[in-house]
């Protein structure tokens, strides 16, 4: 008997949080043309396409999506959550500092309605000032623009037909297929020429009675994905088309959107070649029970389960596979083993580079009721245990698509950097801080090192996105593998916890490599 994932509970409790926004200089301009991409040091410039199981940038360099889901546009808030506590720029900066390089933005078709008004945004003390008076789509524009300046990519996810609930099929009685396709085309047109938006996830978690390859126009998700994908590409042929699975194929059921068993025999074929990325969702017992969790061989059985449902597409070099959602509260030992096994299955970046599965973790938000998030309930503090599970599969950021100044390699000029230190929270007995490294030279950084000396007795208790040594009050932090490369005008960040609090902000120095 199949089991399916229930609708996530969204707990929209507005919480006040004191935040000193993460500092950082905006990343430099990078042109969205193939010629500019071929000259870029770091992969990811321009629009992307597929080749076998890999995703390649405009210059043909392989890239890896290693990102995070930030939900809210699909709810009755009609905007990403957490803006009731923080400025959107500080959140995107923090995502970058943690090593996430892509944001998946769920939305519902309600945001296209003229009467839709985004709500629960805090504008006090200058927070979110440039969002005031904007509608949902205009706020999405702001998020996309800032993410691009930070070197992050964005995937737009048609999550629901309206803000009330998930739908099994891509259409409902109130939101017909024609509206779904018209709104997809509208988004594709809106972001044409902006390569920060690399693609669209056509519909979230199709499930029974959705089928794959059955030939029924009303329920065959594969045929619907072809109709919608071709409509998107007719107005923006550069986008990737992300196609999720279904729930049941050939009598075998699994997670909603997680069953791609039929894609090998019945592939999604679009008018523009090399645009299809298949997407699976996978969850732990905090979302729902599945038979494989109680298998006596668990977790050794899990690679075989994943191979069966979606991994074979990657292993047989058929197409790239993006695990668009996976998450857990980590409350049980089973869930901890599941996440460790899945991360290993996704292939460590240090070993396989971009020849790996793509992924976006669910979620950034702490208010996903059955998974929690990377942020804790204060919308500031990082769940370093959960984030730590993902360390081996994180990947480098991408060239900025912002409009800052700056140039390319200076041809022998000296690399240089500066660092800024920000206390993000201080509760007396301890504190959290973030350090942003900015490339101020005329050539790309290959590595960096930051030093400071406290005037008090502070000791680091944990650090993420860098390694450190501490001798007395003096600390030296060195980049992690995934964030040592920083383009001209770009930035990278790391964070840490320490104790006791009340230490203030020391002077910091940065040495470029």
């Amino acid at each position: 008997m199949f089991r399916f994932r229930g609708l996530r509970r969204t707990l929209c409790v507005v919480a006040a949080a004191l935040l000193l926004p993460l500092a950082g200089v905006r990343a430099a301009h990078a042109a969205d043309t193939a010629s500019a991409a071929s000259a870029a040091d770091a992969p990811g410039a321009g629009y992307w396409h597929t080749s076998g199981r890999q995703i390649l940038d405009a210059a043909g360099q392989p890239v890896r999506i290693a990102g995070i889901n930030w939900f809210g546009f699909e709810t009755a808030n009609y905007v990403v959550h957490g803006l009731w506590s923080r400025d959107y720029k500080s959140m995107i900066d923090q995502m970058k500092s943690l090593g996430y390089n892509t944001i998946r933005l769920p939305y519902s078709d309600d945001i296209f309605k003229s009467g839709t008004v985004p709500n629960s945004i805090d504008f006090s003390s200058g927070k979110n000032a440039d969002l005031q008076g904007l509608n949902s789509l205009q706020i999405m524009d702001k998020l996309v623009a800032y993410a691009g300046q930070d070197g992050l990519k964005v995937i737009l996810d048609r999550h629901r037909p309206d803000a009330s609930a998930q739908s099994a099929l891509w259409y409902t009685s109130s939101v017909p297929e024609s509206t779904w396709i018209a709104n997809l085309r509208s988004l594709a047109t809106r972001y044409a020429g902006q390569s920060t938006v690399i693609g669209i996830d056509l519909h979230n978690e199709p499930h029974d009675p959705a089928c794959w390859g059955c030939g029924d126009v009303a329920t065959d998700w594969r045929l619907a994905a072809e109709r919608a994908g071709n409509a998107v590409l007719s107005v923006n042929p550069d986008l990737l088309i992300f196609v999720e699975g279904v729930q049941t194929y050939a009598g075998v059921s699994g997670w909603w959107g997680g069953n791609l068993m039929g894609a090998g025999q019945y592939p999604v074929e679009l008018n523009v070649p090399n645009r299809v990325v298949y997407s699976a969702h996978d969850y732990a017992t905090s979302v729902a029970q599945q038979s494989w969790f109680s298998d006596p061989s668990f977790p050794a059985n899990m690679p075989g389960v994943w191979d069966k449902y979606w991994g074979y597409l990657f292993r047989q070099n058929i197409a790239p596979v993006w695990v668009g959602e996976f998450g857990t509260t980590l409350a049980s030992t089973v869930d901890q083993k599941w996440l460790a096994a899945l991360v290993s299955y996704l292939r460590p970046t240090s070993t396989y580079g971009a020849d790996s599965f793509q992924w976006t973790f669910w979620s950034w938000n702490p208010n996903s009721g059955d998974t929690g998030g990377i942020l804790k309930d204060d919308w500031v503090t990082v769940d370093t245990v959960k984030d730590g599970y993902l360390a081996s599969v994180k990947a480098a950021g991408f060239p900025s698509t912002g409009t800052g100044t700056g140039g390319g390699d200076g041809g022998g000029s000296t690399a240089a950097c500066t660092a800024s230190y920000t206390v993000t929270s201080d509760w007396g007995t301890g504190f959290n801080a973030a350090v942003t490294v900015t490339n101020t030279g005329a050539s790309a950084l290959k590595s960096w090192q930051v030093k400071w000396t406290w005037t008090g007795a502070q000791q680091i208790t944990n650090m993420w996105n860098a390694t450190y040594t501490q001798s007395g009050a003096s600390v030296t932090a060195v980049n992690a593998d995934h964030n040592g490369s920083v383009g001209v005008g770009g930035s990278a960040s790391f964070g840490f916890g320490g104790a006791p609090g009340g230490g203030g902000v020391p002077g910091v120095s940065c040495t470029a490599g």
Side-chain angles (χ1 to χ4, degrees):
M1 175 175 155
F2 70 84
R3 299 179 186 272
F4 56 87
R5 177 160 66 88
L7 185 64
R8 287 188 199 82
R9 302 181 302 278
T10 304
L11 310 177
C12 303
V13 179
V14 179
L18 178 63
L19 172 74
L20 297 177
L22 301 178
V25 177
R26 300 282 51 83
H29 171 69
D32 285 342
T33 63
S35 60
S38 64
D41 292 329
Y47 281 105
W48 298 355
H49 60 282
T50 70
S51 177
R53 69 189 191 185
Q54 292 190 326
I55 299 177
L56 307 179
D57 69 7
Q61 300 179 93
V63 293
R64 183 175 202 183
I65 296 169
I68 196 78
N69 284 270
W70 188 9
F71 67 81
F73 277 110
E74 84 285 12
T75 73
N77 297 109
Y78 308 118
V79 69
V80 287
H81 286 174
L83 302 189
W84 51 67
S85 292
R86 294 180 60 180
D87 184 88
Y88 75 95
K89 294 178 182 178
S90 75
M91 288 225 256
I92 294 173
D93 285 345
Q94 190 178 19
M95 293 174 192
K96 176 186 173 70
S97 77
L98 291 170
Y100 298 104
N101 63 21
T102 303
I103 306 171
R104 179 177 182 252
L105 285 179
Y107 71 88
S108 84
D109 290 85
D110 280 351
I111 68 172
F112 296 90
K113 297 178 179 178
S114 58
T116 296
V117 178
N119 59 82
S120 301
I121 304 175
D122 183 9
F123 298 110
S124 67
S125 303
K127 289 193 291 290
N128 302 302
D130 56 341
L131 305 186
Q132 202 148 10
L134 303 185
N135 64 32
S136 296
L137 287 168
Q138 291 167 333
I139 291 176
M140 185 178 284
D141 293 344
K142 292 285 189 178
L143 267 62
V144 166
Y146 195 82
Q149 289 179 30
D150 259 3
L152 277 67
K153 296 292 189 178
V154 172
I155 298 169
L156 303 176
D157 156 46
R158 195 282 192 144
H159 209 72
R160 303 174 180 175
D162 57 58
S164 60
Q166 300 280 111
S167 63
L169 299 173
W170 53 96
Y171 62 91
T172 63
S173 57
S174 58
V175 184
E177 178 175 306
S178 59
T179 298
W180 170 57
I181 288 180
N183 290 339
L184 289 171
R185 284 171 55 97
S186 175
L187 277 182
T189 301
R190 188 179 193 93
Y191 295 111
Q194 298 184 52
S195 64
T196 295
V197 177
I198 54 170
I200 300 179
D201 188 344
L202 296 177
H203 177 62
N204 186 66
E205 297 183 350
H207 53 278
D208 296 345
C211 61
W212 191 291
C214 66
D216 183 344
V217 174
T219 57
D220 192 331
W221 166 235
R222 172 242 184 182
L223 295 179
E226 290 182 344
R227 294 192 295 273
N230 283 330
V232 167
L233 294 173
S234 70
V235 296
N236 190 342
D238 294 313
L239 293 177
L240 295 174
I241 303 298
F242 295 91
V243 182
E244 298 187 28
V246 291
Q247 178 185 349
T248 303
Y249 179 79
V252 179
S253 294
W255 297 111
W256 290 0
N259 190 333
L260 285 159
M261 293 170 58
Q265 182 177 358
Y266 301 105
V268 173
E269 297 178 330
L270 301 176
N271 294 336
V272 181
N274 304 316
R275 292 293 182 270
V276 175
V277 178
Y278 292 110
S279 175
H281 291 185
D282 204 272
Y283 280 94
T285 62
S286 63
V287 172
Q289 185 61 247
Q290 297 279 8
S291 60
W292 43 80
F293 295 127
S294 56
D295 188 298
S297 65
F298 177 85
N301 63 318
M302 292 309 302
V305 172
W306 294 318
D307 279 346
K308 173 183 176 181
Y309 281 95
W310 43 268
Y312 76 95
L313 294 165
F314 175 87
R315 299 198 183 281
Q316 296 177 24
N317 201 36
I318 294 172
V321 176
W322 169 53
V323 185
E325 291 184 18
F326 63 106
T328 167
T329 60
L330 289 178
S332 72
T333 301
V334 169
D335 286 24
Q336 294 162 16
K337 291 180 178 179
W338 165 85
L339 184 54
L342 179 56
V343 167
S344 176
Y345 182 84
L346 295 179
R347 297 165 64 102
T349 303
S350 61
T351 303
Y352 298 99
D355 184 23
S356 304
F357 291 93
Q358 320 286 327
W359 60 271
T360 46
F361 188 74
W362 187 278
S363 61
W364 179 247
N365 308 47
N367 59 329
S368 178
D370 48 13
T371 65
I374 290 299
L375 292 185
K376 295 188 177 181
D377 288 343
D378 64 0
W379 281 94
V380 176
T381 307
V382 174
D383 185 332
T384 54
V385 174
K386 189 176 290 186
D387 182 65
Y389 272 89
L390 305 173
S392 66
V393 290
K394 289 181 180 177
F398 305 115
S400 168
T401 54
T403 56
T405 58
D409 194 312
S413 58
T414 302
C417 61
T418 60
S420 61
Y421 178 116
T422 304
V423 178
T424 57
S425 58
D426 191 325
W427 55 95
T429 57
F431 68 101
N432 287 326
V435 177
T436 299
V437 173
T438 300
N439 182 347
T440 56
S443 60
L445 304 183
K446 297 179 180 178
S447 62
W448 45 261
Q449 178 179 277
V450 176
K451 295 183 178 182
W452 68 87
T453 300
W454 280 306
T455 57
Q458 284 69 34
Q459 293 286 319
I460 291 178
T461 54
N462 63 321
M463 181 176 287
W464 48 95
N465 294 309
T467 59
Y468 75 95
T469 57
Q470 181 169 356
S471 177
S474 298
V475 178
T476 299
V478 177
N479 62 273
D481 289 341
H482 66 264
N483 64 357
S485 177
V486 182
V488 175
S491 61
S493 299
F494 64 94
F496 62 90
V505 176
V508 292
S509 64
C510 184
T511 303

